[in-house]
Amino acid sequence: MDKIRAAITGIEAFLPEYRLTNEELSRMVDTSDEWIMQRIGIKERRIMTGKDKATSDMGAEAVKKLLKKTGTNPDDVDFLICATITPDMPFPATANIIAHKVGIHNAWSFDINAACSGFIFALITASQFVESGRYKKVVVVGADMMSAITNYKDRTTSPLFGDGASAVLLEPSPDEDGIIDHIHHVDGLGRLHLHMKAGGSLRPASHETVDNDEHFIYQEGQTVFKFAVSKMADVAVEMMERHGITAENLAWLVPHQANMRIIDATARRMGIDPKQVMINIRKYGNTTAATIPLCLYDYENVLKKGDNIILAAFGAGFTWGSVYLKWAYDGNSVAG
Ligand code: UT7
């Protein structure tokens, strides 16, 4: 039997209504629209508001829309995986809560914690289930409510992050299109430069940890920047070389959206035109596990069956990787 390939056959997204602009942020911390646009490239980010709202609410909205768009009966979903570093609570998994909220009852599910590489790690994990032949409909969610762990008194991290969710359906591909290859890496030493100090078993929550603002993102920006620029480009270029992909036959690079300067440097190393790069950092900021599927969602209209696409990410862990896939359908429709 020929190898089964997993293909993305539909995509949907949820973005909260509230827009936190650079102007509003400049009234909260000592920053400016000019600095943020020059150094990062973000104009505004979406923020989840409302009492008792959490990551699962965004993920569930994206999955509900996905099931509707693809005509999928929730009972037919075999497996759901959610990439997030902002789970509703340390346990149980946010994936389970999403499944419950959308009426997926015949599936099992779990979360993946790989920060900004979360979606590509989850996508490859999920694709193994489809490739096994046993799973026909798998949902992959990338969802993060970064506002829950962002310190809006810290000007070095607060401009960077936003909230959002996106979900894709993975099914066996009827042809050669679908997920072809991946190159994924981790380096646990990188944890020193990007982490949350408290709230885990190392430093359980206490009055002291709260007083010290230790339940927020801690980032040594310059060090992370240096690793991100070299590692994300390394895996994207390696993927091109491995498959004979050139600037001519690559349709799109879909990079994690952390900083416009990192995205530009990656595209330059790959020798591709800026027009071949999906970018939406300006309007959503860094939504961690949601950036890559949110790009695919925003550009879905212009995607064509057979398009060569490279996904690339770098994030806390450190984690980084790239995925090579051939898009499975034309425009804003669904495959099949
Ligand atoms: O997605 C997960 C992976 N994360 C990333 O990929 C993020 C990687 N890092 C970055 O994107 C960048 O390092 C940042 C955007 C976080 C910071 O940019 P930078 O160019 O590395 O700035 P910097 O930290 O070197 O700071 C330069 C100056 C400093 O002032 P002095 O010491 O030169 O006087 C900062 O205090 O900019 C200052 N600064 C700000 N000024 C205005 C830092 N944040 C701000 C701000 N507004 N928001």
Side-chain angles (χ1 to χ4, degrees):
M1 195 179 82
D2 287 336
K3 186 178 182 305
I4 298 167
R5 194 164 268 176
I8 294 175
T9 55
I11 184 158
E12 261 296 348
F14 172 83
L15 287 151
E17 297 270 304
Y18 191 83
R19 293 159 197 255
L20 174 59
T21 62
N22 288 349
E23 284 69 30
E24 185 178 356
L25 200 63
S26 307
R27 294 193 290 274
M28 298 157 73
V29 290
D30 181 15
T31 189
S32 65
D33 176 57
E34 194 192 359
W35 192 94
I36 299 171
M37 281 305 289
Q38 259 175 22
R39 311 296 289 185
I40 318 172
I42 300 172
K43 201 75 187 160
E44 60 183 34
R45 48 310 273 142
R46 302 298 183 92
I47 303 293
M48 191 68 171
T49 55
K51 194 171 172 319
D52 296 333
K53 292 294 180 199
T55 297
S56 69
D57 294 298
M58 298 193 296
E61 283 306 315
V63 175
K64 257 187 230 159
K65 286 157 84 181
L66 177 72
L67 297 180
K68 188 161 175 235
K69 182 170 170 180
T70 56
T72 304
N73 183 333
D75 288 339
D76 293 339
V77 174
D78 303 305
F79 176 62
L80 183 147
I81 188 162
C82 178
T84 188
I85 53 160
T86 50
D88 288 20
M89 50 193 82
F91 73 90
T94 298
N96 305 0
I97 304 172
I98 293 173
H100 171 77
K101 284 183 174 168
V102 304
I104 291 176
H105 299 303
N106 295 328
W108 59 293
S109 58
F110 58 74
D111 288 355
I112 277 196
N113 172 335
C116 300
S117 307
F119 181 76
I120 60 169
F121 278 30
L123 185 70
I124 293 307
T125 306
S127 72
Q128 311 303 306
F129 287 82
V130 175
E131 288 172 12
S132 76
R134 205 175 142 184
Y135 292 77
K136 306 291 184 227
K137 290 186 188 295
V138 173
V139 173
V140 183
V141 186
D144 267 304
M145 190 168 138
M146 296 305 288
S147 60
I149 59 166
T150 298
N151 183 352
Y152 290 100
K153 289 179 288 183
D154 174 12
R155 73 171 182 170
T156 69
T157 51
S158 58
L160 298 165
F161 299 98
D163 302 340
S166 184
V168 302
L169 183 65
L170 274 191
E171 293 180 277
S173 173
D175 50 37
E176 290 300 295
D177 297 332
I179 295 165
I180 295 169
D181 198 8
H182 69 279
I183 303 167
H184 285 357
H185 294 283
V186 301
D187 178 358
L189 198 57
R191 73 188 182 281
L192 301 176
H193 311 293
L194 180 51
H195 57 263
M196 189 196 285
K197 294 205 174 294
S201 54
L202 182 64
R203 279 179 71 69
S206 67
H207 287 290
E208 190 195 347
T209 63
V210 173
D211 289 345
N212 291 341
D213 286 340
E214 290 178 351
H215 297 271
F216 295 121
I217 300 153
Y218 168 83
Q219 175 168 252
E220 293 161 12
Q222 280 185 10
T223 308
V224 177
F225 186 92
K226 271 184 226 146
F227 275 96
V229 162
S230 67
K231 298 294 186 192
M232 206 160 99
D234 284 351
V235 285
V237 169
E238 187 182 344
M239 190 61 88
M240 289 178 88
E241 286 168 0
R242 214 188 249 192
H243 293 277
I245 302 168
T246 61
E248 283 67 45
N249 61 19
L250 179 74
W252 295 101
L253 164 69
V254 191
H256 170 55
Q257 312 278 306
N259 188 316
M260 238 355 264
R261 290 183 289 144
I262 299 174
I263 295 171
D264 286 343
T266 305
R268 269 199 305 278
R269 278 265 316 272
M270 294 168 76
I272 61 173
D273 193 281
K275 287 202 193 77
Q276 292 169 280
V277 186
M278 290 192 190
I279 295 164
N280 61 13
I281 185 172
R282 190 184 163 92
K283 51 183 185 171
Y284 307 138
N286 182 350
T287 53
T288 303
T291 59
I292 288 177
L294 279 176
C295 273
L296 289 169
Y297 175 74
D298 273 358
Y299 284 74
E300 188 188 23
N301 269 332
V302 297
L303 291 176
K304 290 193 279 302
K305 184 168 167 56
D307 273 353
N308 279 323
I309 297 180
I310 289 180
L311 319 178
F314 180 89
F318 290 140
T319 57
W320 68 101
S322 64
V323 171
Y324 169 40
L325 59 87
K326 279 183 181 290
W327 195 248
Y329 58 97
D330 285 329
N332 195 353
S333 58
V334 287

